[in-house]
Amino acid sequence: MTELLEKSALRVRLRVLRRRLADEVPDVAERAARRAPLSRFSRFSVVSAYCAQGSEVDPTPVLRAILEFNPGHAKAALPVAVDRDSPLKFRLWRPQDVLTPDAFGIPAPPASAPEVEPNLVIAPVLGFDRRGGRLGQGAGHYDRTLANLRAARPVFVLGLAFSGQEVDAVPTDPHDQRLDAILTETEFIEVAGGSR
């Protein structure tokens, strides 16, 4: 129970901080894209991003840089929430595609878009640490989803964040999925040991 309270309090503090950072560093996404080690990402064939909500870092510049590094090699996907409790699904996406609201009202590819399994997932972050700890919004969607993906095959998870979202240690539970790397406007942080 104490850890739940600790996570909740940390989420409240980090939401306020992230909104402030969004005002202070409006070009965070473009700066992060310039820091991305694109040659390291060229081995991935399906790259999932997300539609940024509120003060989340927009992954579009990073996704575009990855896709343009080796044109035609990788395809883009976006997550789709089908309900409140199930893992996310991923559907192919192109910038010209019309998006429709998913179960959470977040823009997502329609049911007619082909379902895919990404091998690179760019994940939104509320807080992170250098050991790959990731604090999300608290619904557990990414943890359930990443656990399912990783049970089937290797998946590289890249957290996208403001550098100011770093904390000493993210409180974690056994089901929490770690990041393999974090990309901010100031650096690329590869986590020792990679995926678990």
Side-chain angles (χ1 to χ4, degrees), residues 132-155:
R134 173 188 175 271
L135 188 68
Q137 294 295 341
H141 270 92
Y142 269 89
D143 290 317
R144 286 190 294 277
T145 301
L146 296 175
N148 278 3
L149 288 173
R150 285 174 166 163
R153 63 183 179 144
V155 176

Side-chain angles (χ1 to χ4, degrees), residues 6-192:
E6 185 180 341
K7 275 187 174 180
S8 295
L10 186 57
R11 280 190 180 97
V12 169
R13 186 170 61 86
L14 289 174
R15 282 186 185 110
V16 171
L17 173 64
R18 190 172 64 184
R19 283 192 294 272
R20 183 174 58 79
L21 291 169
D23 289 338
E24 292 174 2
V25 192
D27 62 342
V28 64
E30 292 77 14
R31 289 171 61 184
R34 289 193 294 271
R35 298 250 179 222
L38 299 176
S39 62
R40 305 270 307 279
F41 298 144
S42 64
R43 69 183 193 264
F44 300 112
S45 57
V46 180
V47 181
S48 173
Y50 57 89
C51 284
Q53 301 298 296
S55 58
E56 290 176 344
V57 177
D58 179 5
T60 306
V62 174
L63 176 64
R64 185 181 314 116
I66 292 170
L67 296 176
E68 290 175 356
F69 182 77
N70 189 1
H73 172 69
K75 295 178 180 175
L78 290 175
V80 181
V82 293
D83 60 46
R84 294 210 166 271
D85 300 316
S86 299
L88 299 166
K89 293 187 180 293
F90 295 89
R91 295 187 185 136
L92 285 181
W93 171 76
R94 296 167 304 169
Q96 67 270 24
D97 291 348
V98 175
L99 301 177
T100 59
D102 69 6
F104 287 109
I106 297 171
S112 58
E115 201 170 308
V116 293
E117 287 190 0
N119 49 10
L120 170 57
V121 174
I122 303 171
V125 172
L126 190 52
F128 71 90
D129 64 36
R130 289 187 177 252
R131 290 177 300 283
R134 173 188 175 271
L135 188 68
Q137 294 295 341
H141 270 92
Y142 269 89
D143 290 317
R144 286 190 294 277
T145 301
L146 296 175
N148 278 3
L149 288 173
R150 285 174 166 163
R153 63 183 179 144
V155 176
F156 191 93
V157 183
L158 175 67
L160 187 57
F162 294 90
S163 59
Q165 291 175 263
E166 181 178 351
V167 297
D168 290 336
V170 170
T172 57
D173 295 310
H175 67 270
D176 289 333
Q177 294 290 305
R178 294 200 167 275
L179 300 167
D180 295 296
I182 301 100
L183 180 62
T184 74
E185 78 280 14
T186 60
E187 65 183 318
F188 174 73
I189 304 161
E190 185 124 23
V191 175

